[in-house]
Amino acid sequence: MIIPLFLMQGLLALLGSLFLSFYFVPFFRAVAIRFNILDAPDGKIKLHKKPTPYLGGLAVYCGLLCGLVISFPVTGNILLFLIGVTLLLFLGLVDDLTPLEPYQKFGGQLLVTFCFLRSGIYLKEHFFYNSWNMVLSAFWILTIVNGFNLIDVMDGLATTTAIGATTTFIIMSLMFHQYDIMILLCAFLGSLLAFLSYNRPPATIYLGEAGSLFIGGFLATVLFFLK
């Protein structure tokens, strides 16, 4: 039985990002501890027993990129997509290092959303006028990004939610024969699975704002490719 090339690439992307993320997570955890990038408990919402390092989002991001590098070349719209989610990652990282005011963070999200729209990454439903497609797409992106930011309050919650959504999207991409997107999602899934082993209760590292914004932006916009 001959295994199709796209399935081999997807498996390679998943395994590559999975194993490399097992290296990246402890590395970024050590960096966070070294530079005191920690989430301290407050006895109200943050109920963990001791300060826990951030920067888990950087580990997921690096695992994703490495999984893609070893599986297939990144070009075209996927490259623009990765640039957009990278901007969200950096926005969250700034907030992790120097807390932003809510209006500053939302303004940054609006700017990145505009970049997605200008790159052609938005809903293209013929039922609506193009302007309405862009308005609905902007609303969707901002909702999902902030939704993941809000649910990142319990050990493993945002990560397991992202794993469930990603698995569903992989099935959809196979149904629609969109194999490049399937490989992209497999790389993402591998890095999430590796991170979950450190993020499940009791978590030894958190996604941080960088991770929650990046994951939310990834899942919000990758859906526009599935059609």
Side-chain angles (χ1 to χ4, degrees):
M1 179 179 178
I2 300 177
I3 301 176
L5 177 60
F6 67 86
L7 288 180
M8 295 180 61
Q9 288 178 302
L11 182 61
L12 181 62
L14 191 151
L15 294 178
S17 63
L18 176 71
F19 290 119
L20 287 169
S21 293
F22 275 116
Y23 165 78
F24 287 126
V25 176
F27 171 77
F28 282 110
R29 182 174 60 186
V31 170
I33 294 172
R34 171 68 178 82
F35 292 99
N36 200 37
I37 308 173
L38 306 172
D39 184 29
D42 60 8
K44 298 177 182 179
I45 297 177
K46 302 177 180 182
L47 302 178
H48 44 287
K49 296 181 179 179
K50 60 181 180 179
T52 304
Y54 285 137
L55 301 187
L58 285 176
V60 175
Y61 175 79
C62 290
L64 165 67
L65 291 188
C66 289
L68 291 177
V69 166
I70 64 178
S71 58
F72 85 119
V74 177
T75 57
N77 284 342
I78 292 180
L79 179 59
L80 294 174
F81 163 80
L82 290 174
I83 291 172
V85 294
T86 301
L87 292 175
L88 283 173
L89 179 88
F90 281 125
L91 175 64
L93 184 60
V94 170
D95 195 29
D96 284 331
L97 300 178
T98 306
L100 300 173
E101 294 294 332
Y103 74 89
Q104 294 174 320
K105 185 163 69 172
F106 187 69
Q109 293 172 8
L110 283 174
L111 180 60
V112 176
T113 299
F114 177 76
C115 292
F116 278 125
L117 300 180
R118 286 286 296 170
S119 300
I121 301 173
Y122 58 87
L123 179 68
K124 297 180 177 67
E125 177 54 58
H126 298 299
F127 183 77
F128 300 107
Y129 290 109
N130 197 54
S131 56
W132 274 108
N133 281 330
M134 299 185 76
V135 169
L136 291 172
S137 298
F139 178 77
W140 169 259
I141 293 170
L142 293 170
T143 299
I144 300 302
V145 166
N146 286 288
F148 266 90
N149 193 222
L150 289 174
I151 68 171
D152 188 29
V153 294
M154 294 175 59
D155 294 358
L157 177 59
T159 310
T160 52
T161 301
I163 288 172
T166 303
T167 303
T168 302
F169 291 166
I170 289 174
I171 295 171
M172 291 173 62
S173 64
L174 286 171
M175 291 174 59
F176 296 143
H177 306 290
Q178 293 182 284
Y179 303 128
D180 285 355
I181 305 304
M182 183 271 293
I183 296 168
L184 172 67
L185 288 163
C186 283
F188 188 54
L189 179 62
S191 60
L192 288 173
L193 289 171
F195 180 73
L196 181 62
S197 66
Y198 297 91
N199 186 233
R200 66 174 186 241
T204 59
I205 186 171
Y206 291 151
L207 285 170
E209 294 289 321
S212 61
L213 295 185
F214 157 63
I215 289 175
F218 184 102
L219 292 173
T221 51
V222 77
L223 192 62
F224 297 142
F225 292 99
L226 298 175
K227 58 181 179 179

